Amino acid sequence: MEISSHQFHLLEQLNEQRKQDLFCDCNILVEGKVFKAHRNVLFASSGYFKMLLSQSSKDTSQPTIATFEVFSPETFMVILDFVYSGILSLTGQNVIEVMSAASYLQMTDILNVCKTFIKSSLDINEKEKDHYLSLSAKRMNNESAHPSLYRSRRKAKSNPTRSHVIPDEKASMVNENSWSNYNSYLSSQISLQRPETQLSKRGRKLVPTRKRRKHLGLSQTRDCVQYKSDKTEQTSGGCNASDSSHISRAREEIQFDAENDVDHDDYGYNQEPEVIPKRLKHDDLPRMRFKCPFCTHTVKRRADLKRHLRCHTGERPYPCEACGKRFTRLEHLRSHFQTIHQAGKLICRKCKRHVTDLTGCVVQQGTRRYRLCHECLAEASFDSVPDDLDAEHSLTTYRGNKHSKWALEEEQKSDEETMEEEPYNLVIQHVDDDISDEADEKVKPNLR
DNA sequence: CTGGGGATGGGGCCC
DNA sequence: TGGGCCCCATCCCCA
């Protein structure tokens, strides 16, 4: 006969003991703040502590001390509270750091919850759906569904603090499965094979390219952080050495460990010397601090990590006023706008020769603009249409905060893309710096 | 089919 | 910390 309340009471008792510092045999020092806990609880909850404690001194008379500098005490408090209660207090502010810490501590349950939290927070499904809708808008008629997608996303942005209770069956969920779920959530059209694989409109792989060129010679196909979690399970549970793919993966994981070890050394995760797991030394590796919770990429600055995370979340906060295309960065939007919609390049699109205001003019094709020299222009049989500067008008219609006007932009985009879908009206617009500058000024506020 | 160029996206890093 | 610039890889289009 099973008494279901026993587990709860047991955990509750352990939590009480922790709070009253009863039988605590492990001190965790996080940025100077000491947390007391029980070795056996930590051992059972974290792959990191499992490894740490299994290799620590067998002398149980002295408390084990573990020191961390990679996450804040507040973050560890959230994690420790979860360990002792099963309740994870996630907020939009702490989820990234909690996820990163959970990744470091190899706590797959928390990782899964964080992924779900981020997923729901960003409403990625809706966003990706919208992404594809916008991309396919040139082929399909625009539907009224577009604007609401952005409204829902903005709504989701202000997520209140939520507590996640992890059910047992989910706690035992294999990490990879959760990732595949997450990936399927990310895309309904493109199957993702690896966690770090991301989406773009072309479905191309967006694995950080630099990593392959410079990043410690890591393999392009190396699996991500979740394999770090799995690794513990594999090593503890024993992996099939006869599987060559596992061997190569293990080799990659060793490399991964070495990479992480740099962090430890450089940033003083001064674990007790006797309890530091033996790892490879890579003293010549660059110093990295902020680790992406989605992949193995590490960056030096938090801002860079924030920027990097967009490639995982699919967030594209910078929409083009002219065509509705969205970008992850303002500079990309600006570059796109200048080249596509402002004929920023002083090059004849046809003959590729340099074009000045005197030797050529701007041709407008839908929302796209480019320059043609007079010779190429004469060859082309364009109907000269009075310059109504529709593009400029459309560009200046919606201003203000880029986030607050997403819904409007969607509606606007529908019209614009419908216009683009029509046979292009070629508008020959003579280059006029004043007009161009004026148009620029009208648009720039949105680009700032 | 292929190579070149344009467009796009991501990383490093300076300001 | 964000903005911005530079560099480079990748993908797509087109000749």
Side-chain angles (χ1 to χ4, degrees), chain A residues 65 83 148 254 304 307 316 359 362 436:
Chain A
I65 302 174
V83 166
S148 62
I254 290 172
D304 284 339
R307 187 179 70 174
R316 290 172 177 270
T359 61
V362 173
S436 298

Side-chain angles (χ1 to χ4, degrees), chain A residues 60-301:
Chain A
T60 56
S61 62
Q62 296 296 322
T64 300
I65 302 174
T67 305
F68 298 99
E69 299 286 341
V70 275
F71 38 75
S72 66
E74 293 76 19
T75 300
F76 187 71
M77 174 78 85
V78 170
I79 290 178
L80 197 59
D81 282 344
F82 161 74
V83 166
Y84 276 90
S85 68
I87 297 173
L88 190 63
S89 299
L90 284 180
T91 69
Q93 284 71 41
N94 72 4
V95 61
I96 294 297
E97 197 173 356
V98 169
M99 190 172 179
S100 180
S103 169
Y104 185 85
L105 296 173
Q106 299 173 24
M107 302 175 75
T108 56
D109 304 343
I110 297 180
L111 268 177
N112 291 330
V113 171
C114 289
K115 289 169 204 164
T116 305
F117 184 93
I118 293 173
K119 179 179 64 180
S120 58
S121 295
L122 296 175
D123 205 358
I124 291 171
N125 193 20
E126 291 291 308
K127 186 161 40 184
E128 289 300 317
K129 195 194 302 177
D130 164 73
H131 184 52
Y132 280 98
L133 284 173
S134 69
L135 293 171
S136 57
K138 290 178 187 264
R139 297 187 301 274
M140 301 164 61
N141 290 331
N142 294 297
E143 296 174 4
S144 59
H146 290 212
S148 62
L149 300 177
Y150 289 92
R151 293 192 189 99
S152 65
R153 175 168 53 181
R154 282 200 308 280
K155 212 173 187 176
K157 274 197 156 193
S158 57
N159 269 324
T161 302
R162 282 175 278 174
S163 291
H164 295 249
V165 180
I166 304 178
D168 290 346
E169 61 271 17
K170 287 197 176 178
S172 63
M173 186 165 52
V174 178
N175 223 348
E176 255 183 295
N177 291 340
S178 65
W179 269 106
S180 64
N181 292 337
Y182 178 62
N183 289 334
S184 66
Y185 203 89
L186 278 176
S187 170
S188 59
Q189 299 187 21
I190 299 176
S191 63
L192 301 177
Q193 296 177 349
R194 286 187 299 275
E196 79 273 37
T197 307
Q198 305 126 31
L199 296 173
S200 76
K201 71 169 183 179
R202 298 163 185 161
R204 83 184 196 196
K205 180 173 58 64
L206 297 179
V207 175
T209 53
R210 285 283 173 144
K211 185 160 49 187
R212 274 167 288 160
R213 282 179 289 137
K214 295 182 180 178
H215 201 62
L216 319 175
L218 299 180
S219 165
Q220 175 180 356
T221 58
R222 186 156 53 84
D223 294 301
C224 295
V225 60
Q226 67 278 14
Y227 282 122
K228 183 186 172 189
S229 302
D230 293 344
K231 170 185 58 187
T232 308
E233 296 162 11
Q234 285 172 2
T235 50
S236 60
C239 73
N240 184 3
S242 63
D243 189 336
S244 60
S245 66
H246 285 185
I247 294 174
S248 61
R249 175 179 296 178
R251 191 175 297 127
E252 291 166 350
E253 286 163 352
I254 290 172
Q255 215 168 354
F256 180 86
D257 281 354
E259 182 186 35
N260 279 353
D261 195 46
V262 174
D263 286 345
H264 303 176
D265 292 342
D266 286 346
Y267 294 94
Y269 306 118
N270 43 335
Q271 295 99 334
E272 293 295 295
E274 70 274 14
V275 298
I276 295 177
K278 288 182 180 178
R279 293 185 175 186
L280 298 179
K281 290 289 179 186
H282 278 227
D283 294 335
D284 55 342
L285 296 178
R287 295 187 174 198
M288 299 291 187
R289 180 156 190 182
F290 297 98
K291 183 175 176 304
C292 174
F294 292 90
C295 69
T296 59
H297 184 62
T298 54
V299 294
K300 288 181 180 178
R301 303 189 318 148

